[in-house]
Amino acid sequence: MKHNETFFSSLVLAAAVLWGTTGTVQSFAPPGASPLSIGAVRLAVGGAALLIFAWRRGALAGNPPWFKGTIFLAAGCMAAYQLFFFAGVLKTGVAVGTVVTIGSAPVFAGLISLTLRRENPGLRWAAATLLAVIGCILVITGGQKLALNSIGVVLALGAGVSYALYAAASKELLVSHPLEAVTGIVFSIGALLLSPFLFFYNLEWLKTIQGTGVALHLGLVATALAYVLFSHGLAKIPFPKAVTLSLAEPVTAAALGLFLLKEKLSLLSQVGMILVFAGLVILSLGGLRKK
C-alpha cells in the first residue's frame, strides 16, 4: 500500500515538474503576448486536447459528469485560478503573487480537508507543508525585501483557495467517474469560461512559429499531460498531500532558470530548494487519517 502511494505521489511530482516549465517557456513567447491571453490559450488548447483524449478512450460514453454541480465547481475554480493569479501578479508583482498563491494553496487544502472531508492532515503534513512553503518563499524571493499590495495579496489568496477547491472537487469526481472524463470536461468548461478574454487581447503572437510552439507546449505538456498525471495521483492519495507536493513547481522553475536562462540563484534561494525537497521527502512518509 505504501509502495502504491509512493508511486502515485511521484505522478503528482511529475505533474509539478511539468508545471514548473511554464515560466521558462512563457519567457520565449513573442512580444505582445499578454500573460492573461497566454493563460486563456493554454487552457483552450489543453481543454481541447483533454476532451479529445477522453472521447477517444470512450470515457464520455455512459454517464459522464456533464451536469453535476461539482464539475462546474471544479471548472469554475480552474478558470478563477487563472484570473486571480494573473490579476494578483499584476497588482503586487510576480514574486509576491507567486509566493502567496503557492504558499496559501496547501493551507486552504488542509482546512478544506479538515472541515468538509473530515480528514485530519496531521502534524507530519503540517510540518512538511510549513517547511516546503518556507522553502518556496526563499526560492522565489531570494531573501529580498518585497513591496506588498493589499489588493494584489487578496487576489493571490483567491488563486490559492481556487486551486485548493479545484483539487477537492476533482477528488470527489474521480471517485465515481473516469479520470479522462473528469479532466476533459473540467478543462473544456474552464476554457469556455475564459474564452471571452480571447476577444480582448491581441493574439497575433499565435501566428508565429515561436508563438505556436509556446502555445502547444503550455497546452499539451504543461496542461493536458500534467493534469492527467496529477489526476492519476490525486485519485489515489489525499488531496492536501497532492496540493503540497505541487510545491515542487517553483523549484523546477528555479532550476530551469538557472540552467537554461542563465539566471543566478542567491544562497537563500539555494537553501530554499533544499527546504522544499526536505519537506516533500517528509510528506512522502505519512498519510492522512479520518477524524
Side-chain angles (χ1 to χ4, degrees):
M1 182 66 180
K2 177 58 68 175
H3 176 74
N4 289 338
E5 185 166 333
T6 300
F7 170 74
F8 289 110
S9 294
S10 69
L11 294 181
V12 175
L13 285 172
V17 169
L18 294 180
W19 292 330
T21 66
T22 300
T24 300
V25 172
Q26 188 171 325
S27 69
F28 291 104
S34 68
L36 191 52
S37 71
I38 292 175
V41 168
R42 172 189 180 184
L43 213 57
V45 173
L50 287 167
L51 196 61
I52 293 171
F53 178 64
W55 171 69
R56 292 284 296 175
R57 291 181 63 88
L60 300 181
N63 184 32
W66 284 108
F67 300 108
K68 281 184 173 289
T70 312
I71 204 81
F72 289 99
L73 173 62
C77 286
M78 178 49 62
Y81 169 78
Q82 308 289 331
L83 295 177
F84 279 129
F85 178 72
F86 286 121
V89 164
L90 185 64
K91 280 288 185 180
T92 196
V94 174
V96 173
T98 304
V99 164
V100 173
T101 298
I102 291 179
S104 67
V107 178
F108 285 125
L111 292 174
I112 292 169
S113 178
L114 189 63
T115 58
L116 300 182
R117 294 178 57 84
R118 311 301 293 173
E119 290 176 341
N120 182 4
L123 290 177
R124 186 190 299 274
W125 172 86
T129 299
L130 178 61
L131 198 61
V133 167
I134 292 174
C136 282
I137 293 173
L138 293 178
V139 168
I140 296 169
T141 65
Q144 298 177 359
K145 290 184 178 181
L146 301 173
L148 297 180
N149 177 287
S150 57
I151 296 177
V153 170
V154 170
L155 290 169
L157 288 172
V161 73
S162 296
Y163 179 70
L165 284 171
Y166 155 77
S170 295
K171 179 73 174 177
E172 290 295 323
L173 291 165
L174 291 169
V175 172
S176 55
H177 296 282
L179 177 149
E180 296 86 357
V182 171
T183 53
I185 295 172
V186 164
F187 279 85
S188 296
I189 296 175
L192 287 175
L193 292 175
L194 287 183
S195 60
F197 289 93
L198 296 176
F199 296 100
F200 294 99
Y201 288 92
N202 182 5
L203 298 180
E204 290 294 316
W205 60 273
L206 279 174
K207 296 180 180 179
T208 66
I209 295 177
Q210 189 174 347
T212 301
V214 168
L216 289 177
H217 176 88
L218 294 180
L220 299 180
V221 179
T223 299
L225 177 57
Y227 277 98
V228 166
L229 293 173
F230 178 76
S231 297
H232 271 293
L234 180 64
K236 300 297 183 181
I237 65 176
F239 95 92
K241 181 174 182 176
V243 174
T244 299
L245 288 171
S246 301
L247 294 177
E249 176 185 351
V251 175
T252 302
L256 287 174
L258 180 65
F259 293 110
L260 293 184
L261 302 180
K262 305 303 180 182
E263 296 176 350
K264 293 184 179 180
L265 286 182
S266 68
L267 178 60
L268 283 176
S269 292
Q270 296 175 44
V271 171
M273 294 178 74
I274 295 173
L275 291 179
V276 173
F277 180 75
L280 298 183
V281 170
I282 293 172
L283 184 63
S284 68
L285 301 178
L288 276 73
R289 55 184 181 275
K290 292 288 184 180
K291 289 182 65 177

